[in-house]
Amino acid sequence: MKTVIRGIGQIVSGDLHRPLLDGDTIVCVDGKIGAVGREAEVDTEAADTVIDARGATVVPGLIDSHVHPVFGDFTPRQRAVDFLDSELNGGVTTMISAGEGHLPGRPRDIVGLKALAIVAAKAYQNFRPGGAKVHAGAPILELGMTEADFAEMARAGVRLVGEIGLGSVRTGPDAAPMVRWAKQHGMTVTIHTGGPSIAGSSPIGAETVLEADPHVVGHINGGTTSMSPREIELLVGRTAMALEIVHCGNGRTALHTLRVAGDAGAWPRVILGNDAPSGTGVVPLGILRTLALLTALGECPPELAIAMATGNTARVYGLNGGLISPGREADLVVLDAPVGSVARTALDALRVGDLPGISMVLIDGIPRVGRSRNTPPAARAAEVTRGHAPGGGH
Ligand SMILES: [Zn+2]
C-alpha cells in the first residue's frame, strides 16, 4: 500500500527541535512514512493513492492527550454521539483517555474499576471511530488498591492511569505508592489539578502533585478551575513532568504556563489536550483552538505549538506517531488558511488567530476524511488524483 502526497506548500514535522522540513512530497508505505523530500528526489512510482495538496500545509495527525471516552462513540456526559469522529474532523487522529469516568454508575469497587479499565482498553483496540486511534483503559484510582491490581491490569493491556483525584485517592500519601506501582507496570500516569471539575471530586494543588509524582500534570491550566500561577511555576521549575494545557481550562493560566515553560526551556514538556467531553461540552475543534490561542495570543511560533500537540505527546506516551519522519505511523493532516481569512497559509491563520481549514486527514497512510465537516473550508483543498477519495462534510 503506497500513498503519495505531492504539491505540499509546507511540511511541519512535529519535532520541536526541527519543526519545518524541506520538501513538497511525502511517501507513505504500508501505513508508515517512507520518505519526505522534493518530488524529484523521492520514489513516487506505483503509488496506489496520489493526493495533490495544492500548495497547502501538512502536519502530523494531532494527538489529544485528554479525552473522556466511555463506550463506542457515545458520551453520556453531553448525550452526544459521534464526538470522536467529530474530533477526527478537527485533525485529531489519536486520542488518549484521561479516565472513563463518565460511565453512568461507574463502579468504585476495585474489581469493578479494574474490569472497566480492561474492557475500555480492549474495546478501543478493536474500535477505531472513523479510523482514529483511541488509547483508553485509564482506571480511576480508589483506596485499597494493591500492587497486584496494577500487575493484573497491566497483563490485560492497561497502559494508562486516569486522572488521579477523580476517585477516592486524592492525597499525596495515598497516591504515591500507587503511582510507583503503575510506573513499575509500564503505565503512564496523569493527575487532576486545580479545583474540582464536577461535584464529588477534589481540589488538587502543587504539593499533592509533587508527592504523587505522576508523569503528567493533568490540565495544568485547570479543568476547568486552575491552580494558582505560583503553583504552576513550582511544577514547571521543580519537576520534569509533562505539562498538559487543555482547551476546556483557564485561558489566562494556559498562557502563563506557556510563558513560564518557555523561560525554563521546558517547551518539550508541554502537551495539549481538549478535556472533552466535559461540562464545557464536546469540542471537535478544541485542539485547533488551543493552537490558535498559544500562537495568536501566546506568540508561540505555530510550528512549535503543533509540536506540542504531536511529537511532544507521542514522546510522553510512547506512541509511534506524532512526527513526520520515516518509520512513524503515517497519520497526517492537510490544512490551509480558511476561505475569507487575512492569512494565506495554515500557519499564518494560527498566527492571526483563525482556525485553519482541513481538507484531508490520513490515518496509517489511508485518506479517511476529505473536507472536514467541522472546520471552515480550506482555501486550497487537497484532492485525490489517483485511488479512492474519502467522503467529505462540505
Ligand atoms: Zn480533571
Side-chain angles (χ1 to χ4, degrees), residues 282-351:
V282 290
V283 193
L285 305 186
I287 299 294
L288 288 179
R289 284 174 52 82
T290 306
L291 291 174
L293 170 75
L294 300 185
T295 301
L297 299 184
E299 292 177 4
C300 177
E303 62 274 20
L304 300 187
I306 288 166
M308 294 170 185
T310 55
N312 283 6
T313 324
R315 192 186 65 253
V316 168
Y317 282 91
L319 307 175
N320 188 34
L323 294 180
I324 297 184
S325 176
R328 293 284 177 145
E329 290 163 14
D331 303 338
L332 301 164
V333 180
V334 188
L335 68 187
D336 195 27
V339 172
S341 175
V342 297
R344 288 289 164 266
T345 68
L347 297 188
D348 279 340
L350 291 170
R351 277 190 199 100

Short mmCIF file of all heavy atoms in Angstrom, two decimals, residues 282-351:
data_model
loop_
_atom_site.label_atom_id
_atom_site.label_comp_id
_atom_site.label_asym_id
_atom_site.label_seq_id
_atom_site.Cartn_x
_atom_site.Cartn_y
_atom_site.Cartn_z
N VAL A 282 -18.74 19.00 24.12
CA VAL A 282 -17.88 18.24 23.21
C VAL A 282 -17.34 19.27 22.22
O VAL A 282 -18.09 20.07 21.68
CB VAL A 282 -18.62 17.10 22.48
CG1 VAL A 282 -18.96 15.98 23.45
CG2 VAL A 282 -19.87 17.59 21.80
N VAL A 283 -16.04 19.25 22.02
CA VAL A 283 -15.41 20.36 21.30
C VAL A 283 -14.54 19.80 20.18
O VAL A 283 -13.34 19.58 20.36
CB VAL A 283 -14.56 21.23 22.25
CG1 VAL A 283 -14.19 22.54 21.59
CG2 VAL A 283 -15.30 21.50 23.56
N PRO A 284 -15.12 19.60 19.02
CA PRO A 284 -14.37 18.96 17.91
C PRO A 284 -13.12 19.74 17.51
O PRO A 284 -12.15 19.15 17.07
CB PRO A 284 -15.38 18.95 16.76
CG PRO A 284 -16.72 19.06 17.40
CD PRO A 284 -16.53 19.83 18.66
N LEU A 285 -13.15 21.07 17.67
CA LEU A 285 -12.01 21.87 17.23
C LEU A 285 -11.18 22.36 18.43
O LEU A 285 -10.43 23.33 18.32
CB LEU A 285 -12.48 23.06 16.39
CG LEU A 285 -13.35 22.70 15.17
CD1 LEU A 285 -13.66 23.95 14.33
CD2 LEU A 285 -12.68 21.64 14.30
N GLY A 286 -11.30 21.69 19.56
CA GLY A 286 -10.62 22.14 20.78
C GLY A 286 -9.12 22.21 20.64
O GLY A 286 -8.48 23.16 21.13
N ILE A 287 -8.51 21.24 19.98
CA ILE A 287 -7.05 21.27 19.86
C ILE A 287 -6.64 22.39 18.89
O ILE A 287 -5.70 23.13 19.16
CB ILE A 287 -6.50 19.89 19.40
CG1 ILE A 287 -6.85 18.80 20.43
CG2 ILE A 287 -4.99 19.96 19.17
CD1 ILE A 287 -6.18 18.95 21.78
N LEU A 288 -7.38 22.55 17.80
CA LEU A 288 -7.07 23.66 16.88
C LEU A 288 -7.24 25.00 17.58
O LEU A 288 -6.43 25.93 17.39
CB LEU A 288 -7.99 23.62 15.65
CG LEU A 288 -7.74 22.53 14.61
CD1 LEU A 288 -8.77 22.65 13.48
CD2 LEU A 288 -6.32 22.60 14.05
N ARG A 289 -8.25 25.12 18.41
CA ARG A 289 -8.48 26.39 19.13
C ARG A 289 -7.34 26.65 20.13
O ARG A 289 -6.93 27.80 20.32
CB ARG A 289 -9.83 26.37 19.85
CG ARG A 289 -11.02 26.58 18.89
CD ARG A 289 -12.36 26.41 19.60
NE ARG A 289 -12.45 27.22 20.80
CZ ARG A 289 -12.77 28.53 20.81
NH1 ARG A 289 -13.03 29.16 19.68
NH2 ARG A 289 -12.82 29.18 21.95
N THR A 290 -6.85 25.60 20.75
CA THR A 290 -5.73 25.77 21.68
C THR A 290 -4.47 26.18 20.92
O THR A 290 -3.69 27.03 21.39
CB THR A 290 -5.51 24.48 22.49
OG1 THR A 290 -6.75 24.12 23.09
CG2 THR A 290 -4.46 24.67 23.57
N LEU A 291 -4.26 25.60 19.74
CA LEU A 291 -3.12 26.01 18.91
C LEU A 291 -3.23 27.49 18.56
O LEU A 291 -2.24 28.23 18.62
CB LEU A 291 -3.07 25.17 17.63
CG LEU A 291 -2.70 23.68 17.78
CD1 LEU A 291 -2.83 22.97 16.44
CD2 LEU A 291 -1.28 23.54 18.33
N ALA A 292 -4.43 27.93 18.22
CA ALA A 292 -4.62 29.35 17.86
C ALA A 292 -4.39 30.25 19.08
O ALA A 292 -3.79 31.32 18.97
CB ALA A 292 -6.02 29.57 17.29
N LEU A 293 -4.83 29.79 20.26
CA LEU A 293 -4.62 30.57 21.49
C LEU A 293 -3.13 30.74 21.77
O LEU A 293 -2.65 31.86 22.00
CB LEU A 293 -5.29 29.84 22.67
CG LEU A 293 -4.98 30.39 24.07
CD1 LEU A 293 -5.73 31.69 24.32
CD2 LEU A 293 -5.31 29.38 25.16
N LEU A 294 -2.39 29.63 21.75
CA LEU A 294 -0.97 29.69 22.09
C LEU A 294 -0.19 30.50 21.06
O LEU A 294 0.79 31.17 21.39
CB LEU A 294 -0.39 28.28 22.19
CG LEU A 294 -1.01 27.34 23.23
CD1 LEU A 294 -0.25 26.03 23.29
CD2 LEU A 294 -1.06 27.99 24.61
N THR A 295 -0.65 30.44 19.81
CA THR A 295 0.06 31.09 18.72
C THR A 295 -0.30 32.57 18.63
O THR A 295 0.58 33.43 18.62
CB THR A 295 -0.27 30.36 17.41
OG1 THR A 295 0.12 29.00 17.54
CG2 THR A 295 0.47 30.96 16.25
N ALA A 296 -1.59 32.85 18.56
CA ALA A 296 -2.03 34.23 18.31
C ALA A 296 -1.90 35.11 19.56
O ALA A 296 -1.50 36.26 19.47
CB ALA A 296 -3.48 34.24 17.82
N LEU A 297 -2.25 34.56 20.72
CA LEU A 297 -2.18 35.36 21.95
C LEU A 297 -0.91 35.08 22.74
O LEU A 297 -0.38 35.96 23.41
CB LEU A 297 -3.41 35.11 22.82
CG LEU A 297 -4.75 35.48 22.17
CD1 LEU A 297 -5.90 35.27 23.16
CD2 LEU A 297 -4.74 36.93 21.70
N GLY A 298 -0.40 33.83 22.69
CA GLY A 298 0.82 33.49 23.43
C GLY A 298 2.09 33.73 22.62
O GLY A 298 3.18 33.62 23.15
N GLU A 299 1.92 34.04 21.34
CA GLU A 299 3.05 34.32 20.46
C GLU A 299 4.06 33.20 20.38
O GLU A 299 5.26 33.40 20.21
CB GLU A 299 3.70 35.66 20.82
CG GLU A 299 2.73 36.77 20.48
CD GLU A 299 3.21 38.16 20.86
OE1 GLU A 299 4.35 38.30 21.33
OE2 GLU A 299 2.42 39.09 20.65
N CYS A 300 3.56 31.98 20.51
CA CYS A 300 4.38 30.79 20.27
C CYS A 300 4.40 30.56 18.75
O CYS A 300 3.34 30.60 18.11
CB CYS A 300 3.73 29.59 20.97
SG CYS A 300 4.58 28.04 20.71
N PRO A 301 5.54 30.34 18.14
CA PRO A 301 5.53 30.04 16.70
C PRO A 301 4.62 28.84 16.42
O PRO A 301 4.66 27.85 17.16
CB PRO A 301 6.99 29.70 16.40
CG PRO A 301 7.77 30.39 17.49
CD PRO A 301 6.90 30.34 18.70
N PRO A 302 3.77 28.93 15.40
CA PRO A 302 2.75 27.90 15.21
C PRO A 302 3.34 26.49 15.01
O PRO A 302 2.76 25.51 15.46
CB PRO A 302 1.99 28.36 13.96
CG PRO A 302 2.85 29.40 13.33
CD PRO A 302 3.66 30.01 14.40
N GLU A 303 4.51 26.42 14.35
CA GLU A 303 5.09 25.09 14.12
C GLU A 303 5.56 24.46 15.43
O GLU A 303 5.62 23.24 15.55
CB GLU A 303 6.22 25.17 13.08
CG GLU A 303 7.41 26.02 13.46
CD GLU A 303 7.26 27.50 13.13
OE1 GLU A 303 6.12 27.97 12.95
OE2 GLU A 303 8.30 28.20 13.08
N LEU A 304 5.86 25.31 16.43
CA LEU A 304 6.25 24.77 17.74
C LEU A 304 5.00 24.38 18.54
O LEU A 304 4.99 23.35 19.23
CB LEU A 304 7.08 25.79 18.52
CG LEU A 304 8.39 26.23 17.84
CD1 LEU A 304 9.22 27.10 18.79
CD2 LEU A 304 9.21 25.02 17.40
N ALA A 305 3.94 25.18 18.42
CA ALA A 305 2.68 24.80 19.08
C ALA A 305 2.19 23.46 18.54
O ALA A 305 1.71 22.60 19.30
CB ALA A 305 1.64 25.90 18.87
N ILE A 306 2.33 23.26 17.23
CA ILE A 306 1.90 21.99 16.63
C ILE A 306 2.73 20.84 17.18
O ILE A 306 2.20 19.75 17.46
CB ILE A 306 1.97 22.09 15.08
CG1 ILE A 306 0.84 22.99 14.59
CG2 ILE A 306 1.89 20.70 14.43
CD1 ILE A 306 0.97 23.44 13.15
N ALA A 307 4.02 21.07 17.41
CA ALA A 307 4.86 20.01 18.01
C ALA A 307 4.35 19.64 19.41
O ALA A 307 4.44 18.49 19.83
CB ALA A 307 6.32 20.47 18.08
N MET A 308 3.80 20.63 20.12
CA MET A 308 3.26 20.35 21.47
C MET A 308 2.03 19.44 21.38
O MET A 308 1.71 18.74 22.33
CB MET A 308 2.88 21.66 22.17
CG MET A 308 4.08 22.54 22.49
SD MET A 308 3.56 24.18 23.05
CE MET A 308 5.16 25.00 23.19
N ALA A 309 1.34 19.49 20.24
CA ALA A 309 0.13 18.67 20.07
C ALA A 309 0.42 17.38 19.29
O ALA A 309 -0.51 16.67 18.92
CB ALA A 309 -0.94 19.47 19.33
N THR A 310 1.71 17.12 19.03
CA THR A 310 2.02 15.93 18.22
C THR A 310 3.25 15.20 18.77
O THR A 310 3.13 14.28 19.56
CB THR A 310 2.23 16.33 16.73
OG1 THR A 310 3.24 17.35 16.64
CG2 THR A 310 0.95 16.86 16.12
N GLY A 311 4.44 15.66 18.38
CA GLY A 311 5.67 14.96 18.76
C GLY A 311 5.89 14.90 20.27
O GLY A 311 6.32 13.86 20.80
N ASN A 312 5.60 16.01 20.96
CA ASN A 312 5.77 16.00 22.42
C ASN A 312 4.90 14.92 23.07
O ASN A 312 5.35 14.17 23.94
CB ASN A 312 5.38 17.36 23.02
CG ASN A 312 6.45 18.43 22.81
OD1 ASN A 312 7.44 18.21 22.13
ND2 ASN A 312 6.21 19.60 23.38
N THR A 313 3.65 14.88 22.67
CA THR A 313 2.69 13.95 23.28
C THR A 313 3.07 12.50 22.96
O THR A 313 2.97 11.62 23.82
CB THR A 313 1.27 14.24 22.77
OG1 THR A 313 1.12 15.65 22.61
CG2 THR A 313 0.23 13.72 23.74
N ALA A 314 3.50 12.27 21.72
CA ALA A 314 3.92 10.92 21.34
C ALA A 314 5.08 10.46 22.22
O ALA A 314 5.12 9.30 22.66
CB ALA A 314 4.31 10.89 19.86
N ARG A 315 6.00 11.37 22.50
CA ARG A 315 7.15 11.00 23.34
C ARG A 315 6.70 10.68 24.77
O ARG A 315 7.07 9.65 25.33
CB ARG A 315 8.17 12.14 23.35
CG ARG A 315 9.53 11.74 23.95
CD ARG A 315 10.47 12.93 24.09
NE ARG A 315 9.97 13.90 25.03
CZ ARG A 315 9.46 15.09 24.73
NH1 ARG A 315 9.40 15.50 23.48
NH2 ARG A 315 9.02 15.89 25.67
N VAL A 316 5.83 11.52 25.33
CA VAL A 316 5.38 11.31 26.71
C VAL A 316 4.64 9.98 26.85
O VAL A 316 4.81 9.26 27.83
CB VAL A 316 4.49 12.49 27.16
CG1 VAL A 316 3.78 12.18 28.48
CG2 VAL A 316 5.32 13.76 27.29
N TYR A 317 3.84 9.63 25.84
CA TYR A 317 3.02 8.41 25.92
C TYR A 317 3.62 7.22 25.18
O TYR A 317 2.97 6.18 25.08
CB TYR A 317 1.59 8.71 25.45
CG TYR A 317 0.78 9.42 26.51
CD1 TYR A 317 0.73 10.80 26.57
CD2 TYR A 317 0.13 8.70 27.51
CE1 TYR A 317 0.03 11.46 27.58
CE2 TYR A 317 -0.58 9.34 28.52
CZ TYR A 317 -0.62 10.72 28.55
OH TYR A 317 -1.32 11.35 29.55
N GLY A 318 4.81 7.38 24.64
CA GLY A 318 5.47 6.25 23.97
C GLY A 318 4.75 5.76 22.74
O GLY A 318 4.65 4.56 22.49
N LEU A 319 4.24 6.69 21.93
CA LEU A 319 3.50 6.33 20.71
C LEU A 319 4.39 6.51 19.49
O LEU A 319 5.21 7.44 19.44
CB LEU A 319 2.26 7.22 20.56
CG LEU A 319 1.31 7.26 21.77
CD1 LEU A 319 0.19 8.27 21.52
CD2 LEU A 319 0.74 5.88 22.06
N ASN A 320 4.18 5.67 18.48
CA ASN A 320 4.97 5.77 17.25
C ASN A 320 4.29 6.65 16.21
O ASN A 320 4.31 6.35 15.02
CB ASN A 320 5.25 4.38 16.68
CG ASN A 320 6.25 4.44 15.52
OD1 ASN A 320 7.15 5.26 15.52
ND2 ASN A 320 6.05 3.59 14.53
N GLY A 321 3.66 7.73 16.66
CA GLY A 321 3.07 8.69 15.73
C GLY A 321 3.64 10.05 16.06
O GLY A 321 4.72 10.17 16.64
N GLY A 322 2.92 11.09 15.67
CA GLY A 322 3.26 12.44 16.14
C GLY A 322 4.39 13.13 15.42
O GLY A 322 4.63 14.30 15.67
N LEU A 323 5.07 12.45 14.53
CA LEU A 323 6.18 13.07 13.79
C LEU A 323 6.08 12.71 12.32
O LEU A 323 5.71 11.58 11.98
CB LEU A 323 7.54 12.56 14.29
CG LEU A 323 8.00 12.90 15.71
CD1 LEU A 323 9.37 12.28 15.94
CD2 LEU A 323 8.05 14.40 15.92
N ILE A 324 6.43 13.65 11.45
CA ILE A 324 6.60 13.33 10.04
C ILE A 324 8.05 12.95 9.86
O ILE A 324 8.93 13.81 9.73
CB ILE A 324 6.15 14.49 9.14
CG1 ILE A 324 4.65 14.75 9.36
CG2 ILE A 324 6.45 14.17 7.66
CD1 ILE A 324 4.05 15.81 8.46
N SER A 325 8.29 11.65 9.94
CA SER A 325 9.66 11.14 9.93
C SER A 325 9.59 9.67 9.50
O SER A 325 8.65 8.96 9.89
CB SER A 325 10.23 11.26 11.35
OG SER A 325 11.51 10.69 11.42
N PRO A 326 10.54 9.21 8.68
CA PRO A 326 10.48 7.82 8.20
C PRO A 326 10.33 6.83 9.34
O PRO A 326 11.00 6.94 10.36
CB PRO A 326 11.80 7.65 7.46
CG PRO A 326 12.12 9.03 6.97
CD PRO A 326 11.64 9.96 8.06
N GLY A 327 9.42 5.87 9.15
CA GLY A 327 9.18 4.83 10.16
C GLY A 327 8.03 5.14 11.09
O GLY A 327 7.50 4.23 11.74
N ARG A 328 7.62 6.41 11.16
CA ARG A 328 6.49 6.76 12.02
C ARG A 328 5.17 6.41 11.34
O ARG A 328 5.08 6.38 10.10
CB ARG A 328 6.51 8.26 12.34
CG ARG A 328 7.68 8.68 13.19
CD ARG A 328 7.48 8.28 14.63
NE ARG A 328 8.61 8.58 15.47
CZ ARG A 328 8.51 8.97 16.75
NH1 ARG A 328 7.33 9.07 17.31
NH2 ARG A 328 9.59 9.21 17.46
N GLU A 329 4.13 6.19 12.13
CA GLU A 329 2.80 5.93 11.57
C GLU A 329 2.37 7.12 10.72
O GLU A 329 2.54 8.27 11.14
CB GLU A 329 1.80 5.67 12.71
CG GLU A 329 2.07 4.34 13.38
CD GLU A 329 1.41 4.17 14.75
OE1 GLU A 329 0.52 4.97 15.08
OE2 GLU A 329 1.81 3.24 15.46
N ALA A 330 1.82 6.81 9.54
CA ALA A 330 1.51 7.87 8.57
C ALA A 330 0.14 8.48 8.85
O ALA A 330 -0.81 8.34 8.08
CB ALA A 330 1.59 7.32 7.15
N ASP A 331 0.05 9.17 9.99
CA ASP A 331 -1.15 9.91 10.36
C ASP A 331 -0.89 11.38 10.04
O ASP A 331 0.00 12.00 10.65
CB ASP A 331 -1.45 9.74 11.85
CG ASP A 331 -1.61 8.28 12.25
OD1 ASP A 331 -1.90 7.45 11.36
OD2 ASP A 331 -1.43 7.95 13.44
N LEU A 332 -1.64 11.92 9.08
CA LEU A 332 -1.29 13.23 8.52
C LEU A 332 -2.55 14.07 8.30
O LEU A 332 -3.61 13.53 8.01
CB LEU A 332 -0.58 13.03 7.17
CG LEU A 332 0.71 12.19 7.21
CD1 LEU A 332 1.10 11.74 5.80
CD2 LEU A 332 1.83 12.99 7.85
N VAL A 333 -2.38 15.38 8.42
CA VAL A 333 -3.49 16.30 8.19
C VAL A 333 -3.06 17.34 7.17
O VAL A 333 -1.97 17.92 7.29
CB VAL A 333 -3.91 17.00 9.50
CG1 VAL A 333 -5.06 17.97 9.26
CG2 VAL A 333 -4.29 15.97 10.57
N VAL A 334 -3.90 17.54 6.15
CA VAL A 334 -3.64 18.59 5.16
C VAL A 334 -4.56 19.76 5.48
O VAL A 334 -5.78 19.59 5.58
CB VAL A 334 -3.92 18.09 3.72
CG1 VAL A 334 -3.45 19.14 2.70
CG2 VAL A 334 -3.24 16.75 3.46
N LEU A 335 -3.97 20.94 5.65
CA LEU A 335 -4.78 22.09 6.05
C LEU A 335 -4.24 23.37 5.42
O LEU A 335 -3.09 23.42 4.98
CB LEU A 335 -4.88 22.18 7.57
CG LEU A 335 -3.69 22.50 8.47
CD1 LEU A 335 -4.09 22.34 9.93
CD2 LEU A 335 -2.49 21.61 8.23
N ASP A 336 -5.10 24.37 5.37
CA ASP A 336 -4.73 25.63 4.74
C ASP A 336 -5.46 26.76 5.46
O ASP A 336 -6.35 26.52 6.30
CB ASP A 336 -5.12 25.60 3.25
CG ASP A 336 -4.44 26.71 2.45
OD1 ASP A 336 -3.34 27.16 2.85
OD2 ASP A 336 -5.01 27.12 1.42
N ALA A 337 -5.10 27.99 5.14
CA ALA A 337 -5.89 29.12 5.64
C ALA A 337 -7.34 28.91 5.22
O ALA A 337 -7.60 28.37 4.14
CB ALA A 337 -5.34 30.42 5.06
N PRO A 338 -8.28 29.33 6.07
CA PRO A 338 -9.69 29.18 5.68
C PRO A 338 -10.09 30.26 4.68
O PRO A 338 -9.48 31.33 4.64
CB PRO A 338 -10.42 29.35 7.01
CG PRO A 338 -9.54 30.26 7.81
CD PRO A 338 -8.13 29.92 7.41
N VAL A 339 -11.10 29.95 3.92
CA VAL A 339 -11.66 30.93 2.98
C VAL A 339 -12.05 32.19 3.75
O VAL A 339 -12.68 32.10 4.80
CB VAL A 339 -12.91 30.34 2.27
CG1 VAL A 339 -13.61 31.42 1.44
CG2 VAL A 339 -12.52 29.14 1.40
N GLY A 340 -11.62 33.35 3.26
CA GLY A 340 -12.01 34.62 3.88
C GLY A 340 -11.05 35.14 4.92
O GLY A 340 -11.22 36.26 5.41
N SER A 341 -10.02 34.34 5.26
CA SER A 341 -9.07 34.80 6.28
C SER A 341 -8.11 35.82 5.67
O SER A 341 -7.83 35.78 4.47
CB SER A 341 -8.27 33.60 6.79
OG SER A 341 -7.25 34.01 7.69
N VAL A 342 -7.56 36.68 6.53
CA VAL A 342 -6.50 37.58 6.06
C VAL A 342 -5.21 36.78 5.84
O VAL A 342 -4.29 37.25 5.17
CB VAL A 342 -6.21 38.73 7.05
CG1 VAL A 342 -7.43 39.62 7.19
CG2 VAL A 342 -5.78 38.20 8.43
N ALA A 343 -5.14 35.57 6.40
CA ALA A 343 -3.94 34.74 6.26
C ALA A 343 -3.95 33.99 4.94
O ALA A 343 -5.01 33.78 4.34
CB ALA A 343 -3.86 33.75 7.42
N ARG A 344 -2.76 33.61 4.50
CA ARG A 344 -2.64 32.88 3.22
C ARG A 344 -2.20 31.43 3.40
O ARG A 344 -2.25 30.65 2.47
CB ARG A 344 -1.64 33.61 2.31
CG ARG A 344 -2.18 34.92 1.75
CD ARG A 344 -3.28 34.65 0.70
NE ARG A 344 -4.07 35.84 0.42
CZ ARG A 344 -5.23 36.14 1.04
NH1 ARG A 344 -5.73 35.33 1.95
NH2 ARG A 344 -5.89 37.23 0.73
N THR A 345 -1.71 31.09 4.60
CA THR A 345 -1.30 29.70 4.86
C THR A 345 -1.90 29.26 6.19
O THR A 345 -2.36 30.08 6.99
CB THR A 345 0.24 29.58 4.97
OG1 THR A 345 0.67 30.26 6.16
CG2 THR A 345 0.95 30.16 3.76
N ALA A 346 -1.81 27.95 6.44
CA ALA A 346 -2.36 27.41 7.69
C ALA A 346 -1.64 28.00 8.90
O ALA A 346 -2.27 28.38 9.89
CB ALA A 346 -2.23 25.88 7.70
N LEU A 347 -0.31 28.11 8.82
CA LEU A 347 0.44 28.62 9.97
C LEU A 347 0.14 30.09 10.19
O LEU A 347 0.03 30.55 11.33
CB LEU A 347 1.94 28.39 9.78
CG LEU A 347 2.40 26.92 9.68
CD1 LEU A 347 3.93 26.83 9.70
CD2 LEU A 347 1.82 26.06 10.78
N ASP A 348 -0.01 30.85 9.10
CA ASP A 348 -0.37 32.26 9.25
C ASP A 348 -1.78 32.41 9.82
O ASP A 348 -2.05 33.35 10.57
CB ASP A 348 -0.26 33.00 7.91
CG ASP A 348 1.19 33.38 7.61
OD1 ASP A 348 1.99 33.43 8.57
OD2 ASP A 348 1.50 33.62 6.43
N ALA A 349 -2.67 31.49 9.47
CA ALA A 349 -4.02 31.54 10.04
C ALA A 349 -3.94 31.43 11.55
O ALA A 349 -4.58 32.21 12.28
CB ALA A 349 -4.88 30.42 9.45
N LEU A 350 -3.14 30.50 12.05
CA LEU A 350 -2.98 30.37 13.51
C LEU A 350 -2.39 31.64 14.09
O LEU A 350 -2.81 32.10 15.15
CB LEU A 350 -2.11 29.16 13.84
CG LEU A 350 -2.74 27.79 13.54
CD1 LEU A 350 -1.71 26.68 13.68
CD2 LEU A 350 -3.93 27.52 14.47
N ARG A 351 -1.41 32.21 13.40
CA ARG A 351 -0.76 33.45 13.89
C ARG A 351 -1.76 34.58 14.07
O ARG A 351 -1.63 35.38 14.98
CB ARG A 351 0.33 33.91 12.92
CG ARG A 351 1.66 33.22 13.12
CD ARG A 351 2.77 33.88 12.30
NE ARG A 351 3.88 32.94 12.18
CZ ARG A 351 4.11 32.18 11.11
NH1 ARG A 351 3.34 32.28 10.04
NH2 ARG A 351 5.11 31.33 11.11
#
